[in-house]
Amino acid sequence: MGKHEVGTPKYIANKIKAKGLQKLRWYCQMCQKQCRDENGFKCHTMSESHHRQLLLFADNASRYMDQFSREFSHGYLNLLKRQFGTRRVPANRVYQEYISDRGHIHMNATIWITLTAFVKWLGRSGQCVVDETEKGWYVTYIDRDPETLAAQEKKAKKQKMDKDDEERMMEFIEKQVEKGHQEGNEQMETFKEPLKRTDPDAPLILEMKINKKPKLLPIVIKSERVEDEGSNTIISSSIISGIKQEKLSDKYIEPDTSLTNKGIKRKSKRIDDDSNVEGWLREGLMVKIITKNLGEKYYKAKGVIQSVENSNFVGKVKLKSPKEVENHVVKIDQEYLETVIPAIGKEVMILWGKYKGMKGIVHKLHIGNYSIDIELVKDRSVKKELPYEQVCKYVT
C-alpha cells in the first residue's frame, strides 16, 4: 500500500499521530525507529535492515550496551545540571523531563533495568548525592566544574576576609568602649573643690595668664639675576636677614599661618557662603595684594594666580605691576589678597554661589552699591547683579 498524497486527510492524520511520544514497546533502539502500532512494529522486525542491526549487536553486545548507557547517563546529568543545578529534586521528575525528548536513549537499552538502579549507581559513583524518602528517591547534583570550584573558593576567601575585618572592627570597638569607661571612672574620681569667698561682700577675682600667640611675619626673599662671565648661565642669589644665602630663581613670600583664612575684605557687606570650607582662589584670576607686611613696593601690586593649594586658600601669584616687582612670584594667603574688577566688556569669573566657577562679561558697574552686572558667557540671556567679592577679573 503506497503512502497517502500530501494534503489529504489521511496524510494529515498520520502526521499528527507521528508527533510526540509513542509507546516504548514499539520502539527499536538499534534502528532508532518508532512504530505507531503493533502491526507496524511487527513489519519492522521482519525487515532486512532490522536483521542486519541485530547481527551487529550480536557480534559485540557489551559495546553497544555501554555506549547506550553512557549516552543515557550523560543526557540525564546534563539536564539535571542545566535545569536544576545543585538543588535537591525528585529523580523521577528529572527522568520525565529527559524522556520528553523523542530522540532520547531509552532505559531498556541500557545496563539499568529500573530508575532506582540508575539512581543508586549515581550515588555510588559520586556524581550525585542521593537519598530515599517516603515520596521516592531524591538526587542532588555535585558540580565539579573547575570554574565553579574556583568561584566557590574565591567566595569563601572573600567571606573569610570580611569576617577578619569584622573581628578587627569589633576589637577596635571593644578597646574604645574600655577606654571610655576608664576615662569616665577617672572623671568621677577627680574632685575639684568649689570656689570659696573669704569675704562675701568682696568681688571674686580670677587671675588668668593668657600667653599671646606670636605673630609670624612673612619672609621676603629678594633675588638678583647675575650673568656669569664666559657662559650663558643665569645665577640667582637671595638675601635674607640673619639667614645664609641660597640659590633661587623666584621670590616666594610665605603666608602668616597664625591668621585664619576668612576670605577678602571689602567695603561692602560680606555675604556668608561656603568659603570657610574652600577658598576662593582660582588659577588665572587677577588679584591685588592689600598688606604692607611685604614692603611698600608690594603693596597694591597686581598679579595673576599661577597655582593654588591648601583647599584654594593659598596661591602663587606672578606679579604684573608695578615694573619694579614685575615677574616676581609671591606665595600668599587669600586674606592678603583682593579681587580685581575689570572694565566693562571684560571677562570675570564667579567665585562662589549658585554660578560658582562660571565665566561672565561685565555689563554695568554700581559703584555706590559695590556691585556689578554681568552676563554669563554660556547663556547671555542670564544677567546677575553680584557684589565685588563674588567676582574677579579672569585672564585667559
Side-chain angles (χ1 to χ4, degrees):
M1 182 177 180
K3 294 184 179 180
H4 297 279
E5 295 182 2
V6 178
T8 60
K10 191 65 176 177
Y11 176 83
I12 297 174
N14 291 338
K15 286 294 183 181
I16 293 174
K17 291 179 182 179
K19 289 183 178 180
L21 296 175
Q22 305 293 326
K23 290 187 177 181
L24 182 59
R25 61 178 180 174
W26 296 333
Y27 180 80
C28 179
Q29 184 65 57
M30 283 297 299
C31 301
Q32 296 183 0
K33 180 176 177 60
Q34 176 69 57
C35 299
R36 291 197 299 270
D37 51 23
E38 186 177 359
N39 186 31
F41 185 73
K42 182 178 179 181
C43 293
H44 170 71
T45 56
M46 295 174 64
S47 64
E48 183 179 356
S49 61
H50 178 71
H51 285 288
R52 285 199 301 268
Q53 293 293 332
L54 289 182
L55 290 175
L56 293 174
F57 180 79
D59 291 341
N60 195 349
S62 60
R63 181 171 68 88
Y64 284 98
M65 292 286 288
D66 293 342
Q67 180 181 354
F68 293 149
S69 301
R70 185 165 52 253
E71 292 179 0
F72 176 82
S73 62
H74 180 73
Y76 186 92
L77 291 174
N78 191 27
L79 177 65
L80 178 61
K81 175 184 177 181
R82 288 187 293 104
Q83 188 168 349
F84 301 98
T86 55
R87 290 181 297 167
R88 179 175 174 270
V89 293
N92 188 48
R93 179 183 174 184
V94 184
Y95 180 72
Q96 295 299 326
E97 294 286 342
Y98 174 73
I99 65 176
S100 62
D101 182 16
R102 290 188 61 187
H104 74 277
I105 302 297
H106 292 75
M107 183 173 286
N108 59 358
T110 64
I111 59 176
W112 303 289
I113 301 175
T114 60
L115 180 61
T116 301
F118 173 68
V119 171
K120 290 181 178 180
W121 176 81
L122 290 178
R124 289 195 303 270
S125 61
Q127 301 181 65
C128 295
V129 177
V130 300
D131 59 305
E132 185 180 10
T133 63
E134 296 178 355
K135 296 182 180 181
W137 287 90
Y138 283 78
V139 293
T140 305
Y141 180 71
I142 301 175
D143 194 354
R144 290 190 174 88
D145 188 26
E147 296 181 357
T148 305
L149 295 178
Q152 292 177 355
E153 184 178 356
K154 185 177 180 180
K155 184 178 180 181
K157 186 176 180 180
K158 185 177 182 300
Q159 291 177 352
K160 184 179 179 181
M161 292 178 62
D162 294 342
K163 186 177 180 180
D164 295 341
D165 294 340
E166 291 178 358
E167 291 177 353
R168 286 195 292 269
M169 182 60 69
M170 291 301 296
E171 291 179 359
F172 175 75
I173 293 174
E174 290 178 358
K175 290 181 180 179
Q176 293 295 323
V177 172
E178 184 178 355
K179 184 178 179 181
H181 287 315
Q182 292 178 357
E183 291 179 355
N185 295 333
E186 291 178 358
Q187 292 178 358
M188 293 178 63
E189 292 176 358
T190 304
F191 177 76
K192 296 182 179 180
E193 296 182 358
L195 298 175
K196 296 181 180 179
R197 294 185 179 183
T198 55
D199 187 1
D201 297 332
L204 181 62
I205 300 175
L206 298 177
E207 295 182 0
M208 299 177 65
K209 295 181 180 180
I210 301 176
N211 296 327
K212 294 184 178 180
K213 191 173 183 180
K215 183 177 181 181
L216 301 177
L217 296 177
I219 302 173
V220 180
I221 303 175
K222 302 179 181 179
S223 65
E224 297 179 357
R225 305 175 68 85
V226 180
E227 295 188 1
D228 189 6
E229 295 182 359
S231 65
N232 296 327
T233 306
I234 297 176
I235 303 174
S236 299
S237 61
S238 59
I239 304 174
I240 307 176
S241 59
I243 303 176
K244 64 179 181 179
Q245 295 185 0
E246 297 178 353
K247 292 184 178 181
L248 295 174
S249 60
D250 295 321
K251 302 176 176 61
Y252 293 97
I253 300 178
E254 298 293 337
D256 187 351
T257 56
S258 65
L259 300 178
T260 58
N261 301 312
K262 298 180 181 178
I264 62 175
K265 298 179 180 179
R266 302 297 288 267
K267 295 181 180 179
S268 62
K269 185 178 180 180
R270 174 65 174 173
I271 301 175
D272 293 333
D273 59 357
D274 57 350
S275 62
N276 59 344
V277 178
E278 184 181 7
W280 57 269
L281 299 183
R282 301 289 186 277
E283 294 182 5
L285 297 181
M286 177 71 75
V287 293
K288 181 194 296 185
I289 298 176
I290 57 173
T291 179
K292 294 183 180 180
N293 294 336
L294 309 180
E296 291 294 335
K297 65 178 181 179
Y298 289 101
Y299 182 60
K300 292 188 177 181
K302 295 181 181 179
V304 180
I305 299 176
Q306 291 184 329
S307 62
V308 295
E309 59 187 45
N310 194 15
S311 299
N312 297 341
F313 282 107
V314 179
K316 289 184 180 180
V317 182
K318 187 175 183 180
L319 301 180
K320 298 295 183 181
S321 63
K323 289 186 177 181
E324 59 179 350
V325 295
E326 187 177 2
N327 295 329
H328 288 195
V329 178
V330 178
K331 185 177 181 182
I332 190 169
D333 190 270
Q334 70 174 11
E335 185 175 4
Y336 304 108
L337 297 176
E338 187 180 62
T339 58
V340 175
I341 305 302
I344 296 175
K346 298 296 183 179
E347 194 174 28
V348 295
M349 178 181 286
I350 301 175
L351 305 180
W352 44 270
K354 180 180 179 180
Y355 302 96
K356 175 182 177 181
M358 300 183 68
K359 300 174 184 177
I361 304 298
V362 179
H363 181 66
K364 187 178 180 181
L365 297 176
H366 301 282
I367 300 176
N369 297 331
Y370 300 101
S371 62
I372 63 173
D373 291 343
I374 66 169
E375 295 177 355
L376 297 182
V377 174
K378 292 185 177 180
D379 189 358
R380 290 297 183 92
S381 62
V382 179
K383 295 183 180 179
K384 293 291 181 180
E385 182 180 356
L386 301 175
Y388 284 172
E389 293 84 359
Q390 197 169 350
V391 295
C392 184
K393 182 178 179 181
Y394 181 75
V395 181
T396 305

